[in-house]
Amino acid sequence: MHTPPLVSIVLPVHNDEAWIANALESCLRQSNGRFEVICVDDASTDGTNEVIRGFQAKDERIRLIRLEQNGSAFQGRRAGIMAAKGEYVLFVDGDDELAPDAVAKSYAKARATDADLVGFGVEVTNPDGQTVRGYQKRLAPIHRSLSGEDVFSGLFPVGTAAQGQLWRYLFRTSLLREVHEMLPADLVLPRVNDLPIIFLAAARARKYVSIPDRLYRYFFRRGDSGHAVADVAQFAYYMGAIDAAECIRPALESLTLSRKDPTELIRSYESARLSMIANVIGYLHKNLSSDLHGACLDLLHTRVPQPDVVLAAVTHCPEVLPVLATSGRRIEAGERPVRSVLLTTKTLTTGGVSGVLLSQAHFLLEAGYKVTIVAHRKDSSPDGVPEGAKFIEMKGKGLPARVQEWADICRDEEIDVIIDQQILYSRQWPAYALMARALGVPTIGWIHTFGLRPIYDQNDLSTFLTDHLGALATTVTLSPLDVAYWKLRGIEHTVFLPNPPSPLLIESAAMEVSKEAPAGRIELVWWGRLDERMKKPVELLFAAQELRRLSVDFQLTVIGPGWQDYTVGDLAAEVEKRGLAEHVKVVGPRRGEELIRSIDAAHLFVTTSIIEGYQLTLAEAQVRGLPVVMYELPWLVPVQDNKGIVAVRQGDAVGLAREIAAFAEDSERYLSYSRASVKAAERMTSYDMSSLYQQLLQGALPAEFSPEPTLDDARQILDWAVFYAETGFADSAAKPRRTAQARKVSLARRVARRSIRTFPALEPVLRRVQRVHKAL
């Protein structure tokens, strides 16, 4: 070679006989001929050497270095870098190729900009010769130019998968030699051996530029790339990717000393490290048989702390969370002494779930536990937090940051057990439960509705829950039939507990109650949110029409806030339309003493729910002496053995009306049911909730709270599953399709509704929006 090379092409090989000729030919076809090709044979045992020597005999630009012992491609590249004569270095693997103008274009860009690093695009081809466009796009350069510390932050942004792939860059040779001096000379990396080099090169580089041209040809699934993992031994081999991150740590310490603020450097390193862990656990989901998951996780946990495994999955491959939930070691309730309890939900509001949580906090404090309440979102109303409990509102942005914040809360507050109320209302709860489990803290999850609710809603929540409930120590439901359902779904650690009594129930239970039978007009009351899908308030109007047809003198008061597409005004308008204004009053929400006065003014509580989990309103009505007429919900604990309730089949509004008429006509019957209601309410307030929660936390609930499924349970579940599937489908089919314009108007309507709570003068605007919406 008469002139020194401008670029050294380093080509590490090991048993690449099948492809090395193509790789070398692609190098020799370069349009700029001022290059050298340094082939470093990493102790091949096939004919790779002979192929190289054949090319070497024809072209003096090809050099061959032989390593006596296999040291991985890391050592092969190192030897090539140390022997390079060119100012810049390109890399090519033995099973890939360079584009004809790779040297010319990358070198010209480097010289024109005095760059330490030049990035370029990659052509990715699968075994069938088809372009893998998604991967090709991910490998394309993002930044045109970066300088100073921005080089590193631009190439290794926090929270994204770390990209190694040395063959995507042209490097200044001196930069690569500096990097290798920062790493052990005898380092062997069988997996992801390029990450330490590009990571440290990006940290030391002062100038990066890129060109969009695809100068490298990567052949997917040649060599070791992209292959399945069939057993634990192969998984152990792929775990070597973690070493690629760990070996950087000592060099990182010296780099931090050279920076005024090394925070971003450290964060990027931790992000890259998590990315490598995610690279490994991704094989659990993609390739490995499920019967190997447990053994592979156990092996991984010998190398990586469990919290890091969870955080890696949350950040980079959430699809692996079900594997972690079902295959990781389950923590039994009661494994550790419990002194500190964390209660959590999405936000604290005046709603039912928050009411349950706050009642639990009261009983746990009463039992002597330290209580911390955590809201995952802002805009909570912490006024109801009992004295002695600590309230925390999480601040992190993005799930990975919030899961890390969750871990910090568990450590800082020395949490022993978690009770999570949000598992029906968020699909992020498994990440928090798995992180807690990784810290040795069990999570107890609360399901606040009947198990068949997702079938009625026609969504995949049943499958989602079944896939992830293994992350919990215990799943708490609200009825024995729910226990049967979840056990039949494979969730063995399932129990049921009654909801704690509401303040209204507690205060009323101490009173002497004596109702008088209706004389003349019978007063009816319904209360709840105006949720037509779940609580069916319009069914009340069908019953009212039948009562009027039967010439019953009645007054029905409907209490509750609007819900989604149904406002108080909507229902009131429907009452007017049906000519029922004389008999039905829609009064909106009432609370506290105002609600109690409305209950006490009534003779009967009527409920039209199609599905409920516990329905505290039943006990709240009965404790004030009201008999109940309702649609059948036989699994409800408050309904069972309750002689103060009359139930008719679902959707039978005529049946409801006739039962109401029977009470209006029979004073003795009314008084008998009223007394039975009071007794039933006494039973619902007789639970020692503090004791039950202690037993739950200690894993010592009596067997009666976790019954085994029976054939009759299975029959009931099947019958109700068919009912909800058919009803849910019918409801969806009957709902008219709205135009895009109507959907926009509906959104405007909801925004206006929220606005008039603060600015009542906006109410006329809402009314106009409603008229437009109806016209559409």
Side-chain angles (χ1 to χ4, degrees), residues 19-288:
W19 305 289
I20 185 62
N22 293 336
L24 286 170
E25 286 172 358
S26 76
C27 294
L28 297 178
R29 285 197 297 266
Q30 293 302 303
S31 57
N32 184 327
R34 292 187 61 182
F35 64 86
E36 64 175 347
V37 182
I38 305 174
C39 299
V40 184
D41 179 21
D42 191 19
S44 292
T45 57
D46 64 356
T48 299
N49 256 300
E50 286 70 22
V51 176
I52 296 172
R53 289 191 185 282
F55 276 86
Q56 195 177 20
K58 300 174 185 177
D59 197 316
E60 63 181 358
R61 291 174 298 182
I62 297 176
R63 300 165 60 190
L64 175 62
I65 299 173
R66 295 197 63 188
L67 303 181
E68 295 302 321
Q69 293 183 333
N70 184 272
S72 76
F74 178 85
Q75 285 297 332
R77 293 191 181 103
R78 183 179 186 280
I81 290 164
M82 297 307 176
K85 297 177 181 178
E87 183 184 1
Y88 287 90
V89 169
L90 275 173
F91 293 100
V92 61
D93 285 350
D95 53 356
D96 293 330
E97 299 172 13
L98 288 176
D101 50 2
V103 169
K105 287 187 174 180
S106 61
Y107 178 76
K109 189 70 172 179
R111 291 294 295 168
T113 58
D114 193 29
D116 299 310
L117 274 170
V118 178
F120 44 80
V122 178
E123 181 182 301
V124 182
T125 305
N126 68 18
D128 296 328
Q130 302 297 313
T131 300
V132 186
R133 299 191 185 279
Y135 193 16
Q136 192 167 277
K137 185 176 181 180
R138 289 197 299 274
L139 293 175
I142 297 174
H143 306 282
R144 287 188 177 183
S145 178
L146 298 166
S147 299
E149 293 184 2
D150 289 342
V151 175
F152 180 76
S153 59
L155 297 183
F156 285 91
V158 174
T160 62
Q163 300 278 8
Q165 301 108 359
L166 290 175
W167 30 258
R168 294 195 296 145
Y169 303 95
L170 175 81
F171 294 84
R172 194 186 297 276
T173 305
S174 59
L175 175 65
L176 290 176
R177 288 174 177 159
E178 291 172 7
V179 166
H180 272 280
E181 289 174 2
M182 301 175 72
L183 295 165
D186 58 351
L187 181 62
V188 175
L189 292 173
R191 289 286 300 150
V192 195
N193 40 64
D194 44 7
L195 177 68
I197 303 304
I198 182 58
F199 187 92
L200 294 174
R204 294 186 66 93
R206 296 294 90 195
K207 183 68 177 292
Y208 162 87
V209 295
S210 73
I211 51 179
D213 308 63
R214 298 189 185 102
L215 303 182
Y216 193 87
R217 293 172 178 166
Y218 175 69
F219 292 91
F220 190 60
R221 295 193 186 280
R222 276 189 184 177
D224 290 334
S225 67
H227 291 293
V229 179
D231 53 36
V232 178
Q234 278 186 294
F235 183 78
Y237 166 72
Y238 277 87
M239 274 175 51
I242 297 168
D243 295 331
E246 293 294 344
C247 73
I248 300 172
R249 199 184 293 275
L252 185 73
E253 293 176 3
S254 65
L255 281 174
T256 58
L257 297 176
S258 64
R259 299 201 174 199
K260 290 182 179 179
D261 184 3
T263 304
E264 284 304 305
L265 181 66
I266 295 170
R267 289 182 67 231
S268 291
Y269 168 73
E270 290 300 331
S271 177
R273 177 173 165 273
L274 289 178
S275 178
M276 289 302 98
I277 298 170
N279 179 282
V280 173
I281 61 178
Y283 290 105
L284 294 172
H285 173 72
K286 296 175 186 174
N287 304 100
L288 271 169

Side-chain angles (χ1 to χ4, degrees), residues 701-708:
L701 277 173
E704 66 188 87
F705 291 99
S706 185
E708 292 304 311

Side-chain angles (χ1 to χ4, degrees), residues 603-607 615 617-622 625-631 639 642-647 656 659-660 663 670 673-674 677:
H603 298 109
L604 279 176
F605 175 53
V606 184
T607 174
Q615 202 172 3
T617 52
L618 294 175
E620 289 173 341
Q622 291 191 292
L626 272 62
V628 177
V629 179
M630 64 182 292
Y631 287 155
V639 167
N642 190 328
K643 299 187 184 305
I645 290 177
V646 176
L656 278 181
E659 293 295 344
I660 293 168
F663 278 113
Y670 176 85
Y673 272 83
S674 176
S677 280

Side-chain angles (χ1 to χ4, degrees), residues 516-524 551-557 581-585 601-604 660 663-664:
E516 293 184 4
R521 187 170 70 179
I522 185 169
E523 297 284 346
L524 313 174
S551 300
V552 176
D553 185 10
F554 73 98
Q555 176 75 52
L556 169 62
T557 302
E582 183 183 348
H583 297 285
V584 181
K585 291 182 180 178
H603 298 109
L604 279 176
I660 293 168
F663 278 113

Side-chain angles (χ1 to χ4, degrees), residues 496-509:
F496 82 91
L497 281 176
N499 265 341
S502 64
L504 188 157
L505 195 54
I506 293 171
E507 292 167 11
S508 301

Side-chain angles (χ1 to χ4, degrees), residues 32 170 190 300 362 437 445 676 720 740 754:
N32 184 327
L170 175 81
L300 180 60
H362 168 80
R437 189 176 76 178
W720 282 102
R754 294 191 188 102

